[in-house]
Amino acid sequence: MDAALDEADRFLAPVLNRYKTDVTSTAPDDGLHVKLRQKVIEKALDLIDSVHNAFCITDSSLGQSEPLTSQRNQKILDALIDLVVIEGIYPSLAPDVGVPMERRVKSALKGDLVTKPLSQNRSGQLEDEELLVTIVRRLYALVLSQKGLASSIQDRVSVDLIAAASQVAFSRSCDVANKQDGFAALEYLIDNQSAMNLFPQLTSLLHPSCPDWFRSVISSRLSTLPLRPDGVRQTIYFMAGASVGDGSKHYRPVDQSAGPNLSLDALARASKLLTSVPSRMTLDTYLAALAPQLLDLLDDAAPDNKRIASYIIGNGILSKRKLGSPSTAGWRLFAEPILESLNPPVEKCPVPEKALKLAIDRLSALIHFSTNPGLTKRLAVPTLLPLWGLLCFALVNQRTSWADQVHRILSTYMKISVTDSQLLLLSDSLLWEGTTLWTFMPGASGGIELRQREPGDINAIAMNEMIKTIDSRVETYSDLLRSAVLTNDQLCKIFTHVSKRWLLGSLSASIDARLDIGNDDPRNPMESLVAAKLTQKLLEDFKNRITSNFEGILQLVEPILIAFVNEHERSAERLARVSKPSLLGLGNIAGENSEGHGDKESGETVSAALSLLSAVLTSSSGITNEVDSILLDSVQKSLNYIAKAP
């Protein structure tokens, strides 16, 4: 081997001397120079073969692969390889194919400085095409041998050989045999390197001025790297090692044991790369192959991995109409499993504890780490009631970790994108504990699961179990409101809605009683109680903010006062009639006794309305705006009547 290296050293001496003179003008582009260049490159290839063969013999005698024995020998080999690349490959490539010379690794031809070729670029000339084919075929044969200098050559020239093989494989002028050799070399270099090695190589070949055909060749191979085993994770670590801007230019490997730390810009670039569908695959097929790796990252215990996976899934897939709208592959793969675990159709019930916890974990990560409020809304709205029911069940049954996690999900949603209608829906559904198909039950491992309901258990749960948790649910709802960023108008709207359900509902119940209308729904008394307690709680926690809407409170109490006044006037008329002895009076007395229960409930409702009005009037921030005079006169007229009534 030493003899082969000595011969190579003598051959390189004049070449190295020429580079050391810092020649600035290129060599003359004439036939004599072209032939001389071909001979020089072919001689360099012959010498590389000689060193390789000698090295293989040395390997065999030692029984193992040994590195070159000295720094001098390594520099000789590097100079030979660089000569073939810089004076053989690059002058033969089409314009802007390959790594820009100023970004290529330092060359051994010029004291480890970036070296430009002395030869002119002559792509398209027959002689250069033949030379490029020769270089690709011979270097590929050495790499393919997987012994001797194979690893040294591949490490040194892999990216340059990929560029050369691509041009040979897709050249319009090369014959079929040469194209096949070029394609074989290209595919081997791609298939037999790790994604971490290929990412910086392939991205360095993609620069703004590279030809479209070359960009297509490289991009299609780059987009398949995430599909390799652990390819998504390697894509992310590559992006973490690339500085902001041109990742391939400033790439530095990252210690994977420390976890990735991607900037928002790097996250966006990783997401763009991972959601670029290879030209040879359909969107559905690509996402189906990518999903298991992304979900593994989403389920990872490391927060950084959860954050990255959430961003890619949320911002890169689910937020894109083509990839993540309902009925697309992205929605089916990433969103539907979560939604169906939290609100299962009959064919997917029961939902075991493990599956339910996984859905909660994934939803939590997507909502907390996503930067898209629209996505948060799309995921949270279909699961709002199941999440509420799950939170309440977890609190009652002391599943603390479950309760904390679901509470964070709901709080985040309320801070980011909750709507008035969703807030009102929750206020109307404080007793919600499942659908007619399923309900929450203790899990086998101390958690929670969803099980199909037993026939007839809805009323039993509502009457016997939920009454014990009303105060807790009212407190929880109020706590969620405190965590949300709500305006005074939103709070007033909620309060008015809840108070109306309580007050007008009670008034309606008193009318039903007087008319002897039966109501067999056992939920109504419970819901009325919940509305009353929630009204009281909201007034306690948000009194100053709620009572600022004085006119809204007047609009709420006005119909209650009017109804009470009208009923009291009718009662007074009946009393006047029965004061005269007659058969009709006896009938009126009997009717009056049967209506006593209704009058009592009506009076309780008016008392509650007056208490509410009193709270507003005594609040320091009560009357702050002008009030409609007609409304004010109506309420004042009713109050004057009540004050004078016996």
Side-chain angles (χ1 to χ4, degrees), residues 388 407 414 426-427 430 471-484 486 491 494 533-542 546:
W388 169 255
H407 190 280
M414 288 194 166
L426 270 186
S427 73
L430 293 191
D471 288 338
S472 172
R473 292 191 177 216
V474 166
E475 177 66 38
T476 302
Y477 181 76
S478 182
D479 181 59
L480 287 174
L481 293 184
R482 286 194 295 269
S483 69
L486 301 181
L491 278 173
I494 296 169
K533 285 183 171 291
L534 184 55
T535 300
Q536 180 182 4
K537 183 62 178 176
L538 293 176
L539 197 57
E540 290 175 0
D541 292 349
F542 305 101
I546 288 173

PDB file of all heavy atoms in Angstrom, residues 388 407 414 426-427 430 471-484 486 491 494 533-542 546:
ATOM      1  N   TRP A 388     -66.414  17.951  29.886  1.00  0.00           N
ATOM      2  CA  TRP A 388     -67.047  18.456  31.106  1.00  0.00           C
ATOM      3  C   TRP A 388     -67.514  17.302  31.997  1.00  0.00           C
ATOM      4  O   TRP A 388     -67.272  17.292  33.209  1.00  0.00           O
ATOM      5  CB  TRP A 388     -68.224  19.352  30.744  1.00  0.00           C
ATOM      6  CG  TRP A 388     -69.095  19.696  31.915  1.00  0.00           C
ATOM      7  CD1 TRP A 388     -70.324  19.191  32.209  1.00  0.00           C
ATOM      8  CD2 TRP A 388     -68.772  20.600  32.981  1.00  0.00           C
ATOM      9  NE1 TRP A 388     -70.807  19.713  33.381  1.00  0.00           N
ATOM     10  CE2 TRP A 388     -69.871  20.592  33.880  1.00  0.00           C
ATOM     11  CE3 TRP A 388     -67.688  21.403  33.269  1.00  0.00           C
ATOM     12  CZ2 TRP A 388     -69.894  21.361  35.027  1.00  0.00           C
ATOM     13  CZ3 TRP A 388     -67.709  22.177  34.425  1.00  0.00           C
ATOM     14  CH2 TRP A 388     -68.798  22.154  35.286  1.00  0.00           C
ATOM     15  N   HIS A 407     -59.123  19.679  33.215  1.00  0.00           N
ATOM     16  CA  HIS A 407     -59.342  21.084  33.584  1.00  0.00           C
ATOM     17  C   HIS A 407     -58.422  21.994  32.781  1.00  0.00           C
ATOM     18  O   HIS A 407     -58.838  23.074  32.321  1.00  0.00           O
ATOM     19  CB  HIS A 407     -59.116  21.266  35.087  1.00  0.00           C
ATOM     20  CG  HIS A 407     -59.536  22.614  35.599  1.00  0.00           C
ATOM     21  ND1 HIS A 407     -58.761  23.747  35.467  1.00  0.00           N
ATOM     22  CD2 HIS A 407     -60.681  23.012  36.225  1.00  0.00           C
ATOM     23  CE1 HIS A 407     -59.381  24.781  35.994  1.00  0.00           C
ATOM     24  NE2 HIS A 407     -60.551  24.370  36.469  1.00  0.00           N
ATOM     25  N   MET A 414     -61.054  27.761  26.750  1.00  0.00           N
ATOM     26  CA  MET A 414     -61.819  28.952  27.114  1.00  0.00           C
ATOM     27  C   MET A 414     -60.991  30.232  26.963  1.00  0.00           C
ATOM     28  O   MET A 414     -61.531  31.293  26.655  1.00  0.00           O
ATOM     29  CB  MET A 414     -62.339  28.830  28.544  1.00  0.00           C
ATOM     30  CG  MET A 414     -63.465  27.827  28.678  1.00  0.00           C
ATOM     31  SD  MET A 414     -64.320  27.968  30.249  1.00  0.00           S
ATOM     32  CE  MET A 414     -65.788  26.991  29.911  1.00  0.00           C
ATOM     33  N   LEU A 426     -72.604  24.870  28.217  1.00  0.00           N
ATOM     34  CA  LEU A 426     -72.098  24.287  29.458  1.00  0.00           C
ATOM     35  C   LEU A 426     -72.981  24.649  30.648  1.00  0.00           C
ATOM     36  O   LEU A 426     -73.248  23.815  31.526  1.00  0.00           O
ATOM     37  CB  LEU A 426     -70.665  24.760  29.717  1.00  0.00           C
ATOM     38  CG  LEU A 426     -69.527  23.931  29.141  1.00  0.00           C
ATOM     39  CD1 LEU A 426     -68.191  24.479  29.616  1.00  0.00           C
ATOM     40  CD2 LEU A 426     -69.660  22.470  29.538  1.00  0.00           C
ATOM     41  N   SER A 427     -73.424  25.908  30.685  1.00  0.00           N
ATOM     42  CA  SER A 427     -74.273  26.318  31.814  1.00  0.00           C
ATOM     43  C   SER A 427     -75.590  25.545  31.833  1.00  0.00           C
ATOM     44  O   SER A 427     -76.166  25.328  32.900  1.00  0.00           O
ATOM     45  CB  SER A 427     -74.548  27.828  31.740  1.00  0.00           C
ATOM     46  OG  SER A 427     -75.462  28.135  30.696  1.00  0.00           O
ATOM     47  N   LEU A 430     -74.789  21.339  33.192  1.00  0.00           N
ATOM     48  CA  LEU A 430     -73.936  21.050  34.347  1.00  0.00           C
ATOM     49  C   LEU A 430     -74.130  19.629  34.861  1.00  0.00           C
ATOM     50  O   LEU A 430     -73.226  19.051  35.457  1.00  0.00           O
ATOM     51  CB  LEU A 430     -74.205  22.048  35.474  1.00  0.00           C
ATOM     52  CG  LEU A 430     -73.806  23.508  35.211  1.00  0.00           C
ATOM     53  CD1 LEU A 430     -73.877  24.297  36.502  1.00  0.00           C
ATOM     54  CD2 LEU A 430     -72.425  23.620  34.601  1.00  0.00           C
ATOM     55  N   ASP A 471     -73.190  21.294  43.938  1.00  0.00           N
ATOM     56  CA  ASP A 471     -72.334  22.379  44.420  1.00  0.00           C
ATOM     57  C   ASP A 471     -70.947  22.300  43.791  1.00  0.00           C
ATOM     58  O   ASP A 471     -70.362  23.330  43.439  1.00  0.00           O
ATOM     59  CB  ASP A 471     -72.221  22.327  45.942  1.00  0.00           C
ATOM     60  CG  ASP A 471     -73.506  22.744  46.632  1.00  0.00           C
ATOM     61  OD1 ASP A 471     -74.317  23.447  45.990  1.00  0.00           O
ATOM     62  OD2 ASP A 471     -73.702  22.353  47.800  1.00  0.00           O
ATOM     63  N   SER A 472     -70.424  21.078  43.658  1.00  0.00           N
ATOM     64  CA  SER A 472     -69.104  20.905  43.056  1.00  0.00           C
ATOM     65  C   SER A 472     -69.107  21.342  41.591  1.00  0.00           C
ATOM     66  O   SER A 472     -68.188  22.019  41.131  1.00  0.00           O
ATOM     67  CB  SER A 472     -68.665  19.444  43.164  1.00  0.00           C
ATOM     68  OG  SER A 472     -67.476  19.212  42.440  1.00  0.00           O
ATOM     69  N   ARG A 473     -70.164  20.991  40.884  1.00  0.00           N
ATOM     70  CA  ARG A 473     -70.222  21.353  39.464  1.00  0.00           C
ATOM     71  C   ARG A 473     -70.408  22.852  39.267  1.00  0.00           C
ATOM     72  O   ARG A 473     -69.827  23.444  38.358  1.00  0.00           O
ATOM     73  CB  ARG A 473     -71.345  20.572  38.779  1.00  0.00           C
ATOM     74  CG  ARG A 473     -71.049  19.074  38.707  1.00  0.00           C
ATOM     75  CD  ARG A 473     -72.006  18.326  37.826  1.00  0.00           C
ATOM     76  NE  ARG A 473     -71.626  16.916  37.746  1.00  0.00           N
ATOM     77  CZ  ARG A 473     -71.753  16.176  36.657  1.00  0.00           C
ATOM     78  NH1 ARG A 473     -72.248  16.707  35.552  1.00  0.00           N
ATOM     79  NH2 ARG A 473     -71.388  14.917  36.664  1.00  0.00           N
ATOM     80  N   VAL A 474     -71.205  23.451  40.113  1.00  0.00           N
ATOM     81  CA  VAL A 474     -71.375  24.903  40.048  1.00  0.00           C
ATOM     82  C   VAL A 474     -70.043  25.596  40.327  1.00  0.00           C
ATOM     83  O   VAL A 474     -69.655  26.547  39.635  1.00  0.00           O
ATOM     84  CB  VAL A 474     -72.465  25.350  41.041  1.00  0.00           C
ATOM     85  CG1 VAL A 474     -72.428  26.859  41.233  1.00  0.00           C
ATOM     86  CG2 VAL A 474     -73.836  24.914  40.550  1.00  0.00           C
ATOM     87  N   GLU A 475     -69.331  25.116  41.335  1.00  0.00           N
ATOM     88  CA  GLU A 475     -68.025  25.686  41.666  1.00  0.00           C
ATOM     89  C   GLU A 475     -67.038  25.493  40.512  1.00  0.00           C
ATOM     90  O   GLU A 475     -66.269  26.405  40.177  1.00  0.00           O
ATOM     91  CB  GLU A 475     -67.484  25.030  42.938  1.00  0.00           C
ATOM     92  CG  GLU A 475     -66.084  25.492  43.340  1.00  0.00           C
ATOM     93  CD  GLU A 475     -66.035  26.945  43.733  1.00  0.00           C
ATOM     94  OE1 GLU A 475     -66.990  27.421  44.383  1.00  0.00           O
ATOM     95  OE2 GLU A 475     -65.050  27.628  43.377  1.00  0.00           O
ATOM     96  N   THR A 476     -67.055  24.325  39.886  1.00  0.00           N
ATOM     97  CA  THR A 476     -66.142  24.037  38.776  1.00  0.00           C
ATOM     98  C   THR A 476     -66.429  24.929  37.577  1.00  0.00           C
ATOM     99  O   THR A 476     -65.513  25.451  36.943  1.00  0.00           O
ATOM    100  CB  THR A 476     -66.265  22.557  38.362  1.00  0.00           C
ATOM    101  OG1 THR A 476     -65.970  21.730  39.491  1.00  0.00           O
ATOM    102  CG2 THR A 476     -65.300  22.229  37.244  1.00  0.00           C
ATOM    103  N   TYR A 477     -67.705  25.100  37.276  1.00  0.00           N
ATOM    104  CA  TYR A 477     -68.068  25.972  36.147  1.00  0.00           C
ATOM    105  C   TYR A 477     -67.617  27.404  36.412  1.00  0.00           C
ATOM    106  O   TYR A 477     -67.043  28.065  35.536  1.00  0.00           O
ATOM    107  CB  TYR A 477     -69.570  25.919  35.920  1.00  0.00           C
ATOM    108  CG  TYR A 477     -70.038  26.774  34.765  1.00  0.00           C
ATOM    109  CD1 TYR A 477     -69.851  26.373  33.449  1.00  0.00           C
ATOM    110  CD2 TYR A 477     -70.670  27.991  34.991  1.00  0.00           C
ATOM    111  CE1 TYR A 477     -70.273  27.157  32.384  1.00  0.00           C
ATOM    112  CE2 TYR A 477     -71.101  28.785  33.942  1.00  0.00           C
ATOM    113  CZ  TYR A 477     -70.901  28.361  32.633  1.00  0.00           C
ATOM    114  OH  TYR A 477     -71.315  29.146  31.591  1.00  0.00           O
ATOM    115  N   SER A 478     -67.857  27.886  37.614  1.00  0.00           N
ATOM    116  CA  SER A 478     -67.435  29.248  37.956  1.00  0.00           C
ATOM    117  C   SER A 478     -65.916  29.383  37.891  1.00  0.00           C
ATOM    118  O   SER A 478     -65.387  30.410  37.446  1.00  0.00           O
ATOM    119  CB  SER A 478     -67.936  29.609  39.360  1.00  0.00           C
ATOM    120  OG  SER A 478     -67.582  30.929  39.699  1.00  0.00           O
ATOM    121  N   ASP A 479     -65.212  28.325  38.313  1.00  0.00           N
ATOM    122  CA  ASP A 479     -63.751  28.339  38.249  1.00  0.00           C
ATOM    123  C   ASP A 479     -63.254  28.410  36.804  1.00  0.00           C
ATOM    124  O   ASP A 479     -62.293  29.113  36.502  1.00  0.00           O
ATOM    125  CB  ASP A 479     -63.198  27.091  38.938  1.00  0.00           C
ATOM    126  CG  ASP A 479     -61.686  27.048  38.927  1.00  0.00           C
ATOM    127  OD1 ASP A 479     -61.064  27.977  39.460  1.00  0.00           O
ATOM    128  OD2 ASP A 479     -61.120  26.086  38.366  1.00  0.00           O
ATOM    129  N   LEU A 480     -63.909  27.688  35.903  1.00  0.00           N
ATOM    130  CA  LEU A 480     -63.542  27.757  34.487  1.00  0.00           C
ATOM    131  C   LEU A 480     -63.781  29.152  33.927  1.00  0.00           C
ATOM    132  O   LEU A 480     -62.992  29.654  33.120  1.00  0.00           O
ATOM    133  CB  LEU A 480     -64.336  26.726  33.685  1.00  0.00           C
ATOM    134  CG  LEU A 480     -63.931  25.263  33.859  1.00  0.00           C
ATOM    135  CD1 LEU A 480     -64.898  24.356  33.114  1.00  0.00           C
ATOM    136  CD2 LEU A 480     -62.502  25.032  33.356  1.00  0.00           C
ATOM    137  N   LEU A 481     -64.860  29.782  34.357  1.00  0.00           N
ATOM    138  CA  LEU A 481     -65.121  31.150  33.904  1.00  0.00           C
ATOM    139  C   LEU A 481     -64.038  32.100  34.397  1.00  0.00           C
ATOM    140  O   LEU A 481     -63.632  33.019  33.680  1.00  0.00           O
ATOM    141  CB  LEU A 481     -66.494  31.618  34.401  1.00  0.00           C
ATOM    142  CG  LEU A 481     -67.723  30.912  33.824  1.00  0.00           C
ATOM    143  CD1 LEU A 481     -68.997  31.573  34.349  1.00  0.00           C
ATOM    144  CD2 LEU A 481     -67.708  30.927  32.308  1.00  0.00           C
ATOM    145  N   ARG A 482     -63.573  31.881  35.621  1.00  0.00           N
ATOM    146  CA  ARG A 482     -62.508  32.743  36.150  1.00  0.00           C
ATOM    147  C   ARG A 482     -61.211  32.565  35.357  1.00  0.00           C
ATOM    148  O   ARG A 482     -60.431  33.506  35.205  1.00  0.00           O
ATOM    149  CB  ARG A 482     -62.261  32.436  37.632  1.00  0.00           C
ATOM    150  CG  ARG A 482     -63.334  32.966  38.559  1.00  0.00           C
ATOM    151  CD  ARG A 482     -62.882  32.935  40.019  1.00  0.00           C
ATOM    152  NE  ARG A 482     -62.671  31.574  40.489  1.00  0.00           N
ATOM    153  CZ  ARG A 482     -63.604  30.833  41.066  1.00  0.00           C
ATOM    154  NH1 ARG A 482     -64.832  31.317  41.231  1.00  0.00           N
ATOM    155  NH2 ARG A 482     -63.336  29.612  41.490  1.00  0.00           N
ATOM    156  N   SER A 483     -60.967  31.339  34.862  1.00  0.00           N
ATOM    157  CA  SER A 483     -59.729  31.098  34.114  1.00  0.00           C
ATOM    158  C   SER A 483     -59.804  31.627  32.690  1.00  0.00           C
ATOM    159  O   SER A 483     -58.772  31.810  32.041  1.00  0.00           O
ATOM    160  CB  SER A 483     -59.423  29.598  34.084  1.00  0.00           C
ATOM    161  OG  SER A 483     -60.368  28.903  33.281  1.00  0.00           O
ATOM    162  N   ALA A 484     -61.009  31.862  32.201  1.00  0.00           N
ATOM    163  CA  ALA A 484     -61.175  32.355  30.832  1.00  0.00           C
ATOM    164  C   ALA A 484     -61.017  33.869  30.799  1.00  0.00           C
ATOM    165  O   ALA A 484     -61.189  34.563  31.807  1.00  0.00           O
ATOM    166  CB  ALA A 484     -62.544  31.956  30.297  1.00  0.00           C
ATOM    167  N   LEU A 486     -62.862  36.567  29.719  1.00  0.00           N
ATOM    168  CA  LEU A 486     -64.200  36.941  29.279  1.00  0.00           C
ATOM    169  C   LEU A 486     -64.445  38.430  29.483  1.00  0.00           C
ATOM    170  O   LEU A 486     -63.954  39.035  30.442  1.00  0.00           O
ATOM    171  CB  LEU A 486     -65.252  36.145  30.058  1.00  0.00           C
ATOM    172  CG  LEU A 486     -65.185  34.614  29.958  1.00  0.00           C
ATOM    173  CD1 LEU A 486     -66.312  33.996  30.777  1.00  0.00           C
ATOM    174  CD2 LEU A 486     -65.261  34.159  28.514  1.00  0.00           C
ATOM    175  N   LEU A 491     -69.968  37.771  30.453  1.00  0.00           N
ATOM    176  CA  LEU A 491     -70.409  37.340  31.781  1.00  0.00           C
ATOM    177  C   LEU A 491     -71.867  37.700  32.024  1.00  0.00           C
ATOM    178  O   LEU A 491     -72.642  36.905  32.568  1.00  0.00           O
ATOM    179  CB  LEU A 491     -69.525  37.982  32.853  1.00  0.00           C
ATOM    180  CG  LEU A 491     -68.182  37.302  33.132  1.00  0.00           C
ATOM    181  CD1 LEU A 491     -67.350  38.145  34.082  1.00  0.00           C
ATOM    182  CD2 LEU A 491     -68.399  35.907  33.715  1.00  0.00           C
ATOM    183  N   ILE A 494     -74.109  35.297  30.180  1.00  0.00           N
ATOM    184  CA  ILE A 494     -74.231  34.012  30.870  1.00  0.00           C
ATOM    185  C   ILE A 494     -75.153  34.144  32.080  1.00  0.00           C
ATOM    186  O   ILE A 494     -76.058  33.317  32.298  1.00  0.00           O
ATOM    187  CB  ILE A 494     -72.842  33.510  31.319  1.00  0.00           C
ATOM    188  CG1 ILE A 494     -71.953  33.232  30.107  1.00  0.00           C
ATOM    189  CG2 ILE A 494     -72.979  32.250  32.172  1.00  0.00           C
ATOM    190  CD1 ILE A 494     -70.502  32.987  30.470  1.00  0.00           C
ATOM    191  N   LYS A 533     -78.676  27.660  42.019  1.00  0.00           N
ATOM    192  CA  LYS A 533     -77.368  27.686  42.673  1.00  0.00           C
ATOM    193  C   LYS A 533     -76.311  28.367  41.794  1.00  0.00           C
ATOM    194  O   LYS A 533     -75.436  29.077  42.295  1.00  0.00           O
ATOM    195  CB  LYS A 533     -76.929  26.257  43.011  1.00  0.00           C
ATOM    196  CG  LYS A 533     -77.659  25.655  44.205  1.00  0.00           C
ATOM    197  CD  LYS A 533     -77.136  24.285  44.543  1.00  0.00           C
ATOM    198  CE  LYS A 533     -77.715  23.786  45.865  1.00  0.00           C
ATOM    199  NZ  LYS A 533     -77.198  24.557  47.026  1.00  0.00           N
ATOM    200  N   LEU A 534     -76.404  28.148  40.496  1.00  0.00           N
ATOM    201  CA  LEU A 534     -75.431  28.771  39.598  1.00  0.00           C
ATOM    202  C   LEU A 534     -75.636  30.277  39.554  1.00  0.00           C
ATOM    203  O   LEU A 534     -74.666  31.045  39.519  1.00  0.00           O
ATOM    204  CB  LEU A 534     -75.548  28.163  38.196  1.00  0.00           C
ATOM    205  CG  LEU A 534     -74.529  28.655  37.171  1.00  0.00           C
ATOM    206  CD1 LEU A 534     -73.103  28.464  37.670  1.00  0.00           C
ATOM    207  CD2 LEU A 534     -74.715  27.932  35.836  1.00  0.00           C
ATOM    208  N   THR A 535     -76.896  30.716  39.558  1.00  0.00           N
ATOM    209  CA  THR A 535     -77.165  32.152  39.600  1.00  0.00           C
ATOM    210  C   THR A 535     -76.544  32.774  40.844  1.00  0.00           C
ATOM    211  O   THR A 535     -75.889  33.823  40.790  1.00  0.00           O
ATOM    212  CB  THR A 535     -78.686  32.403  39.596  1.00  0.00           C
ATOM    213  OG1 THR A 535     -79.248  31.856  38.407  1.00  0.00           O
ATOM    214  CG2 THR A 535     -78.985  33.895  39.661  1.00  0.00           C
ATOM    215  N   GLN A 536     -76.748  32.124  41.979  1.00  0.00           N
ATOM    216  CA  GLN A 536     -76.195  32.623  43.239  1.00  0.00           C
ATOM    217  C   GLN A 536     -74.669  32.654  43.193  1.00  0.00           C
ATOM    218  O   GLN A 536     -74.036  33.621  43.626  1.00  0.00           O
ATOM    219  CB  GLN A 536     -76.678  31.746  44.382  1.00  0.00           C
ATOM    220  CG  GLN A 536     -76.167  32.184  45.758  1.00  0.00           C
ATOM    221  CD  GLN A 536     -76.642  31.250  46.856  1.00  0.00           C
ATOM    222  OE1 GLN A 536     -77.290  30.242  46.587  1.00  0.00           O
ATOM    223  NE2 GLN A 536     -76.312  31.577  48.097  1.00  0.00           N
ATOM    224  N   LYS A 537     -74.064  31.586  42.649  1.00  0.00           N
ATOM    225  CA  LYS A 537     -72.609  31.513  42.598  1.00  0.00           C
ATOM    226  C   LYS A 537     -72.019  32.581  41.687  1.00  0.00           C
ATOM    227  O   LYS A 537     -71.007  33.219  42.027  1.00  0.00           O
ATOM    228  CB  LYS A 537     -72.189  30.117  42.110  1.00  0.00           C
ATOM    229  CG  LYS A 537     -70.684  29.885  42.084  1.00  0.00           C
ATOM    230  CD  LYS A 537     -70.072  29.981  43.459  1.00  0.00           C
ATOM    231  CE  LYS A 537     -68.586  29.698  43.427  1.00  0.00           C
ATOM    232  NZ  LYS A 537     -67.949  29.888  44.749  1.00  0.00           N
ATOM    233  N   LEU A 538     -72.651  32.789  40.547  1.00  0.00           N
ATOM    234  CA  LEU A 538     -72.154  33.810  39.617  1.00  0.00           C
ATOM    235  C   LEU A 538     -72.255  35.193  40.239  1.00  0.00           C
ATOM    236  O   LEU A 538     -71.352  36.027  40.067  1.00  0.00           O
ATOM    237  CB  LEU A 538     -72.940  33.752  38.309  1.00  0.00           C
ATOM    238  CG  LEU A 538     -72.753  32.502  37.456  1.00  0.00           C
ATOM    239  CD1 LEU A 538     -73.669  32.541  36.233  1.00  0.00           C
ATOM    240  CD2 LEU A 538     -71.300  32.361  37.002  1.00  0.00           C
ATOM    241  N   LEU A 539     -73.320  35.417  40.948  1.00  0.00           N
ATOM    242  CA  LEU A 539     -73.483  36.716  41.592  1.00  0.00           C
ATOM    243  C   LEU A 539     -72.443  36.918  42.690  1.00  0.00           C
ATOM    244  O   LEU A 539     -71.943  38.025  42.899  1.00  0.00           O
ATOM    245  CB  LEU A 539     -74.897  36.830  42.170  1.00  0.00           C
ATOM    246  CG  LEU A 539     -75.378  38.241  42.528  1.00  0.00           C
ATOM    247  CD1 LEU A 539     -75.319  39.158  41.320  1.00  0.00           C
ATOM    248  CD2 LEU A 539     -76.796  38.191  43.083  1.00  0.00           C
ATOM    249  N   GLU A 540     -72.089  35.857  43.388  1.00  0.00           N
ATOM    250  CA  GLU A 540     -71.056  35.957  44.422  1.00  0.00           C
ATOM    251  C   GLU A 540     -69.682  36.234  43.830  1.00  0.00           C
ATOM    252  O   GLU A 540     -68.926  37.067  44.342  1.00  0.00           O
ATOM    253  CB  GLU A 540     -71.002  34.651  45.227  1.00  0.00           C
ATOM    254  CG  GLU A 540     -72.205  34.405  46.122  1.00  0.00           C
ATOM    255  CD  GLU A 540     -72.131  33.039  46.784  1.00  0.00           C
ATOM    256  OE1 GLU A 540     -71.135  32.309  46.527  1.00  0.00           O
ATOM    257  OE2 GLU A 540     -73.047  32.701  47.561  1.00  0.00           O
ATOM    258  N   ASP A 541     -69.355  35.522  42.749  1.00  0.00           N
ATOM    259  CA  ASP A 541     -67.990  35.593  42.211  1.00  0.00           C
ATOM    260  C   ASP A 541     -67.774  36.756  41.255  1.00  0.00           C
ATOM    261  O   ASP A 541     -66.643  37.226  41.092  1.00  0.00           O
ATOM    262  CB  ASP A 541     -67.649  34.282  41.490  1.00  0.00           C
ATOM    263  CG  ASP A 541     -67.528  33.113  42.453  1.00  0.00           C
ATOM    264  OD1 ASP A 541     -67.503  33.364  43.671  1.00  0.00           O
ATOM    265  OD2 ASP A 541     -67.458  31.960  41.987  1.00  0.00           O
ATOM    266  N   PHE A 542     -68.846  37.199  40.596  1.00  0.00           N
ATOM    267  CA  PHE A 542     -68.670  38.221  39.548  1.00  0.00           C
ATOM    268  C   PHE A 542     -69.649  39.380  39.732  1.00  0.00           C
ATOM    269  O   PHE A 542     -70.077  39.999  38.764  1.00  0.00           O
ATOM    270  CB  PHE A 542     -68.885  37.592  38.162  1.00  0.00           C
ATOM    271  CG  PHE A 542     -68.030  36.404  37.883  1.00  0.00           C
ATOM    272  CD1 PHE A 542     -68.545  35.124  37.983  1.00  0.00           C
ATOM    273  CD2 PHE A 542     -66.696  36.555  37.529  1.00  0.00           C
ATOM    274  CE1 PHE A 542     -67.758  34.014  37.722  1.00  0.00           C
ATOM    275  CE2 PHE A 542     -65.901  35.451  37.276  1.00  0.00           C
ATOM    276  CZ  PHE A 542     -66.432  34.174  37.372  1.00  0.00           C
ATOM    277  N   ILE A 546     -71.083  41.679  36.747  1.00  0.00           N
ATOM    278  CA  ILE A 546     -72.421  41.341  36.262  1.00  0.00           C
ATOM    279  C   ILE A 546     -73.384  42.512  36.446  1.00  0.00           C
ATOM    280  O   ILE A 546     -74.160  42.846  35.552  1.00  0.00           O
ATOM    281  CB  ILE A 546     -72.952  40.096  36.997  1.00  0.00           C
ATOM    282  CG1 ILE A 546     -72.201  38.850  36.524  1.00  0.00           C
ATOM    283  CG2 ILE A 546     -74.454  39.929  36.769  1.00  0.00           C
ATOM    284  CD1 ILE A 546     -72.532  37.598  37.305  1.00  0.00           C
TER     285      ILE A 546
END
